[in-house]
Each structure stands twice: as C-alpha cells, then as structure tokens.
Amino acid sequence: MRRAARTLTPMHIHGGYRLLVAALLLALGVGSASAATMQIINGDAEGEGLNDRTPVAPVGGNDGGTRGEQRRIALQYAADILGSRLDSAVPIRIAVRFETLGCSATRASLGQTAPAQFAAGFADAARPDTLYPAALANALAGRRVAAGTSDIDATFNAALDGEDGCLGGRRWYYGLDRNPGAGEIDFIGTVLHELIHGLGFISRVLTR
C-alpha cells in the first residue's frame, strides 16, 4: 500500500523537515538520454502578459506576431532546452505570468520563481523527513505526488518592455538565437536561470 504524500506550499514549510536540494539535478537525471516534458500554464488575463496583443516584428528566429506570442514561443523554447537535460516520466507543469515587478533606473527584478509545492513522506522518498520540490518528488515516484495545478510558479517583469525609467529603457530580447543587442536582456537565458530555481535550487533550508 502506498504511503500518502504530504504536500506543502512554500508558505507552509516549517521546522521538523529538511529541504534537500543539493543533488536535485542529479536525481532528475541531468544529461540523460531521456527528456522531461515541460508544460507551460498561461496564468495571464486576456490581453496581458502572455496574451499581450501588441504587434511586433520577428526577432532572432522568433516569428511570433504579437508580444504575447513571442513570449510564449521563447518560454517554451527555454523550457524545452532544460527539459532535454532532465529525466522524468511525469510532465513538469510551469505556471507563468507577467507582472510589473520592482524596477528603477539602476535596479530591477527580472523574475521570481520557486517550486509551487513540496512533498514529503511518499513511498519512494529516500528520506521520510525530507521535503522534496514538486518536480523532483514526482520524478522519484514516477507519478504525481505533489498536489496543486503546477510544479513551478514563475513571474517575469513586464516593466522590461518599455516602461519609462526601468533600467534606463532596457527591454527583453525574445530572439531564439540568444543574441541580444545593446540595451536588451536575453529572455531565454533569464528563463533558464529562473526555472532552475523552480526545480529546487533555492536557499530555504530548515532543520529541527
């Protein structure tokens, strides 16, 4: 009989559990010949963020005709790069939205990403007193043990698309060639960085 998994959100983590992340990508099978399916969940309202209808010209191999479409194409492209390096029979679900995050002329938050859920006490867990990020828990179990609609929650800064005063006018570069010009920020590189946080590379460590 399978042991019931306990799932928690980041806000519910408390003492008595240890968050194990040091061997995360090794456990997920980095470099494996297999690949993980990365599913993007669009968390934006109509006309906003990933659904922004602002017309744009193709850029760097990204042929999306609107800003929202280019964002969706670049997101999936980045997610597939990471997924090709992971081994999980359970699709990894990534909830994504764009919001105006903190931004000034000299500083900005490019994105904020974390595991959406943590699981402990499932039958295939190596340590029963350890919290596993959702994607890792599901990969170890070979089935979905973490509750919730997403495994990773990611937010990216919409202000970096032309908001006055944000980083001196720097903008996201959505090209798939990852070749941003002056005043542009590589969106795909940022997504890869943030998704690794979402897999569990974070600094939240709690002990008894």
Side-chain angles (χ1 to χ4, degrees):
M1 182 176 180
R2 286 176 174 169
R3 185 163 66 239
R6 181 181 182 188
T7 59
L8 303 93
T9 67
M11 293 299 293
H12 293 150
I13 297 174
H14 55 79
Y17 283 90
R18 290 173 294 173
L19 178 59
L20 183 66
V21 297
L24 174 69
L25 290 186
L26 179 61
L28 278 169
V30 169
S32 169
S34 301
T37 299
M38 310 291 274
Q39 298 176 342
I40 303 297
I41 301 172
N42 186 338
D44 283 319
E46 187 65 26
E48 299 179 357
L50 297 175
N51 305 311
D52 188 330
R53 302 189 192 94
T54 303
V56 293
V59 58
N62 188 333
D63 294 329
T66 66
R67 181 178 292 163
E69 186 180 12
Q70 285 195 353
R71 287 169 170 171
R72 296 193 303 271
I73 290 171
L75 270 167
Q76 191 64 61
Y77 186 86
D80 289 344
I81 290 174
L82 187 57
S84 71
R85 305 295 295 171
L86 305 176
D87 184 5
S88 176
V90 183
I92 298 173
R93 303 175 301 188
I94 308 160
V96 180
R97 60 182 179 176
F98 274 75
E99 289 186 357
T100 299
L101 303 177
C103 194
S104 69
T106 57
R107 298 185 64 181
S109 174
L110 302 184
Q112 299 173 351
T113 307
Q117 305 286 334
F118 296 84
F122 53 95
D124 304 280
R127 298 179 179 179
D129 63 343
T130 297
L131 284 172
Y132 292 84
L136 177 57
N138 295 338
L140 291 172
R143 57 188 173 85
R144 194 165 296 286
V145 296
T149 58
S150 62
D151 305 312
I152 296 172
D153 287 343
T155 303
F156 295 95
N157 198 342
L160 286 163
D161 268 320
E163 183 173 300
D164 291 341
C166 182
L167 287 185
R170 287 181 174 84
R171 305 176 66 90
W172 286 120
Y173 177 75
Y174 296 112
L176 307 186
D177 59 358
R178 302 194 58 192
N179 187 31
E184 295 179 323
I185 299 171
D186 178 21
F187 182 68
I188 287 175
T190 302
V191 172
L192 288 169
H193 174 99
E194 291 297 325
L195 291 186
I196 289 173
H197 285 312
L199 288 172
F201 273 96
I202 53 179
S203 59
R204 185 182 292 112
V205 178
L206 300 173
T207 59
R208 293 182 186 275

